[in-house]
Amino acid sequence: MFNFFISKKIIYDTFIDLGTANTLIYKKGLGTLINEPSIIAYDKRNGEKQIAVGKQALHMQGKAPSFIEVKTPLADGMVHDISLAQTLVKELLRGGKSFIKDTFIQRRGIIISVPSDSTKIEKSAFFEVARAVGSGEILLVEEPLAAAVGAGLDVWNPEGKLVVDVGCGITESVLISMGETVNFKSIRKGGESCSQEIIQYFRNHYDFLISKSTAEILKQQTSIQNLKKSHKTKIPGFSLRTKLPSTLEFDYLEIAKILLIFANQILNLVEETLENSPPELVGDLYHTGILLTGGGTLIDGLSEYLQFKLNIPVIESSEPLNGVVFGNLKISEIQHLFPALKALKDF
Ligand SMILES: Nc1ncnc2c1ncn2[C@@H]1O[C@H](COP(=O)(O)OP(=O)(O)OP(=O)(O)O)[C@@H](O)[C@H]1O
């Protein structure tokens, strides 16, 4: 068991959001030190030599020769390779000036966020990654709670607040009251699964291969509103029929239908959360609304769709990608208000 002692005297000044797609590290007084993709590229010749991290490594994905391997330390929202994740944060910080060398900073506290759905073992993996950043106290805070605080929600009062956090690899629907998680449901899929579905769709329906970055662009350009309005476009790729590079004409409506399937999975998750929650807190949502956060909620038309289906106000976070670190910054200033944080000390 890890020894946590949560005291008002500990100054937590470093905040880590280690995500499947993106890693953010924020330092009080310095601002955002790191905001980079969670990805590392290795040269497999003569043993494994790390050659790029973050954005540089992302640019190599799918384009590098076969001796370069691009790896991600997280999958489905969880750390699946601790040592790789430690290397990622250390190397990203090494590019972030002298942060690691500052021993005074290292003795201060670090807050790292974890999915609400993580097991003890999964939490301890996040803990080990934070340990690679500094030797001070480490506090774990659930991501949706931090994101809610980061978005400016008053989570302390005895009123139900529902946070829907759609990341790259995990989607969580969490009911919060008085600074604690009352109920949650999650699925271990997020924005990444939509991109994979888009790639699969073109392969299955057109024998046409597209890159992950093309799928990502299509996802960001498609709206799930106006599902009757046709809008055709062309994309580059590789035809399995002609065995040649080619372009393909298709309708954005086809992508919208794929995104709508994901929107309905989010809708089901919210409905399941509400079904098993105290009715008093659920009733509060008619005026507190549902907060959408995480990069996956940026699907155009998602908030309107959920609001229409649930008949509850749906609010888009002003900080869908940075809300977790900003929330933990605020939490570091008011720790004594969070009984839930103390509960995490015995994970
Ligand atoms: N404009 C956009 N439209 C649709 N999806 C988007 C948009 N911008 C980003 N995304 C998606 O957001 C996801 C990344 O979000 P985020 O950074 O919150 O995830 P993460 O914290 O890394 O992942 P997780 O919490 O699952 O570990 C990616 O799947 C990305 O495709």
Side-chain angles (χ1 to χ4, degrees), residues 19-22 77 167-170 191-192 216 219-220 294-296 298-299 321:
T20 310
N22 298 304
C168 170
I170 188 165
E192 168 73 13
E216 190 66 33
K219 184 173 69 175
Q220 299 195 7
L298 292 171
I299 292 173
L321 294 160

Side-chain angles (χ1 to χ4, degrees), residues 143-264:
E143 280 168 11
L145 180 71
V149 176
L153 285 197
D154 177 2
V155 299
W156 300 272
N157 64 17
E159 245 184 354
K161 313 251 166 14
L162 192 84
V163 181
V164 176
D165 186 353
V166 185
C168 170
I170 188 165
T171 298
E172 299 194 277
S173 163
V174 180
L175 185 68
I176 297 169
S177 177
M178 299 178 73
E180 295 207 45
T181 296
V182 178
N183 191 17
F184 73 88
K185 292 275 171 200
S186 69
I187 42 171
R188 295 208 175 181
K189 54 161 65 176
E192 168 73 13
S193 68
C194 290
S195 305
Q196 292 303 332
E197 292 293 337
I198 292 170
I199 291 170
Q200 207 55 44
Y201 176 83
F202 284 105
R203 183 185 247 281
N204 294 348
H205 288 78
Y206 296 104
D207 290 330
F208 196 73
L209 303 183
I210 61 164
S211 68
K212 203 173 159 188
S213 57
T214 302
E216 190 66 33
I217 291 166
L218 290 178
K219 184 173 69 175
Q220 299 195 7
Q221 289 177 341
T222 305
S223 175
I224 58 170
Q225 287 181 304
N226 299 326
L227 279 179
K228 288 185 181 137
K229 205 168 152 203
S230 168
H231 177 193
K232 294 205 166 165
T233 189
K234 278 184 181 174
I235 44 163
F238 181 82
S239 168
L240 290 171
R241 290 176 195 162
T242 62
K243 311 275 185 226
L244 287 171
S246 178
T247 56
L248 176 81
E249 191 181 58
F250 71 100
D251 198 312
Y252 273 112
L253 279 178
E254 297 169 72
I255 308 294
K257 283 179 191 158
I258 297 170
L259 299 185
L260 196 61
I261 293 170
F262 184 54
N264 281 323

Side-chain angles (χ1 to χ4, degrees), residues 18-81:
L18 184 63
T20 310
N22 298 304
T23 294
L24 276 87
I25 303 182
Y26 186 99
K27 168 101 180 67
K28 208 182 264 184
L30 292 179
T32 304
L33 296 179
I34 304 297
N35 185 358
E36 296 266 348
S38 308
I39 187 161
I40 310 186
Y42 286 91
D43 185 336
K44 294 190 286 184
R45 296 170 300 182
N46 307 320
E48 291 228 314
K49 190 167 165 262
Q50 176 216 306
I51 51 166
V53 284
K55 290 184 194 93
Q56 274 189 327
L58 185 68
H59 286 142
M60 294 178 182
Q61 197 172 43
K63 293 187 175 167
S66 61
F67 58 82
I68 291 178
E69 189 178 3
V70 176
K71 296 183 183 179
T72 53
L74 280 89
D76 303 338
M78 304 296 163
V79 179
H80 73 98
D81 186 331

